[in-house]
Amino acid sequence: MLNSLFIAFSLYSILPMPRAEWSKRNMQYALAFFPLVGLVVGGVQALWLFLGEQWELGPLLRGAGAALWPALLSGGIHLDGFCDTCDALGSRQTRERKLEILKDSHTGAFALIGLVLFFTALTGLASELRWSPAAGAALAACFVLSRAMGGLFILTLPCARGDGLARTFSDAAAGRRCIAVLWAVVLLAAGAAALLSPLCGAAMLAAWGLLFLWARRKILREFGGVTGDLAGWSIQLCELILAGLLVVLQKSMGEGLLL
């Protein structure tokens, strides 16, 4: 079990971990620990917003830091998938050609456009978030939910290719147990947000569910199955959309929400 934890953190973060052999036995619960990586990343994100408030940083610097920390802590692995997916979707080629583009190490115009739009939107949204302990906790829950989505796609969708990280983790995973853990994490994260604010919890769960259904359909229609890049793409979209939701809730409900 600990080896699965070490593998999850060593792959999906830059945090130093004890070395663990990538055997099927050691990897079987790695995806179940994936949301825990998100909790750590989200915790650092919340800490940055707290420090920005304490140090009276300007909105732009607060937002830029909030956008950069998750990318740095994850080693850019999910952003890499996001960029590759933007290139593949932007090409509007056949399914086979899109899968080839996902594997291509070159960076295309659509990847650059998607990356600029992503960081611009995330920086702007993060600059609007007001710090409070409850808001920080809700923000951390966003990163837990995003990792749960990526893990569920890997475990529940067919693999689009016969190789790659998605195939490796899917083949090694203790399928039903990991799926049950990830669904439980989704409900727990939304439930925790609901304890802070019933509206916030319900809205986060609804937004997550709608994105899950849309992204699942998009992945199957465009690619015929999931890859590690597509899982990374869904994770980044989830983080962006849920961050936007928190901003909307704070703006619409004023000081009555997320105190």
Side-chain angles (χ1 to χ4, degrees):
M1 190 72 75
L2 277 178
N3 285 327
S4 292
L5 173 67
F6 298 153
I7 289 172
F9 271 89
S10 63
L11 177 61
Y12 295 116
S13 79
I14 62 170
L15 299 177
M17 286 285 141
R19 185 173 181 178
E21 180 186 354
W22 279 43
S23 65
K24 185 172 183 178
R25 179 180 179 181
N26 289 344
M27 295 174 64
Q28 61 181 333
Y29 295 108
L31 288 176
F33 287 108
F34 197 11
L36 187 58
V37 180
L39 181 61
V40 173
V41 174
V44 173
Q45 174 88 308
L47 176 62
W48 169 255
L49 292 180
F50 167 74
L51 293 175
E53 188 94 1
Q54 297 299 307
W55 296 338
E56 299 182 352
L57 300 179
L60 182 59
L61 183 55
R62 292 202 314 268
L68 291 174
W69 274 116
L72 294 174
L73 289 172
S74 67
I77 187 170
H78 309 309
L79 275 175
D80 176 70
F82 176 82
C83 290
D84 288 342
T85 304
C86 287
D87 266 342
L89 291 174
S91 72
R92 300 186 180 182
Q93 298 292 319
T94 64
R95 178 181 294 178
E96 292 72 22
R97 178 57 184 149
K98 288 175 184 173
L99 288 172
E100 290 176 4
I101 293 172
L102 287 182
K103 293 184 68 175
D104 194 337
S105 59
H106 295 86
T107 301
F110 290 108
L112 293 174
I113 293 170
L115 192 63
V116 170
L117 292 177
F118 176 83
F119 272 113
T120 301
L122 188 56
T123 298
L125 290 171
S127 69
E128 292 293 326
L129 278 174
R130 300 190 311 274
W131 163 259
S132 71
L139 185 61
C142 295
F143 290 84
V144 173
L145 289 169
S146 69
R147 269 64 178 180
M149 179 178 292
L152 283 169
F153 282 151
I154 292 174
L155 290 170
T156 61
L157 293 179
C159 291
R161 293 197 298 260
D163 57 0
L165 280 176
R167 170 67 71 177
T168 301
F169 276 87
S170 177
D171 288 347
R176 292 183 178 180
R177 293 179 182 178
C178 285
I179 292 171
V181 168
L182 291 177
W183 278 117
V185 165
V186 171
L187 296 177
L188 286 172
L195 291 177
L196 306 172
S197 163
L199 175 60
C200 179
M204 287 179 68
L205 184 59
W208 186 93
L210 290 173
L211 178 60
F212 180 88
L213 294 174
W214 176 83
R216 184 181 188 279
R217 183 172 180 270
K218 184 78 170 175
I219 288 170
L220 290 174
R221 185 177 72 246
E222 300 285 349
F223 300 94
V226 73
T227 69
D229 285 331
L230 294 172
W233 169 75
S234 71
I235 288 168
Q236 299 293 177
L237 278 184
C238 188
E239 290 176 11
L240 185 64
I241 289 172
L242 292 183
L245 175 65
L246 291 184
V247 172
V248 170
L249 290 173
Q250 281 196 334
K251 295 294 185 181
S252 61
M253 300 301 292
E255 296 297 329
L257 184 67
L258 300 179
L259 292 177

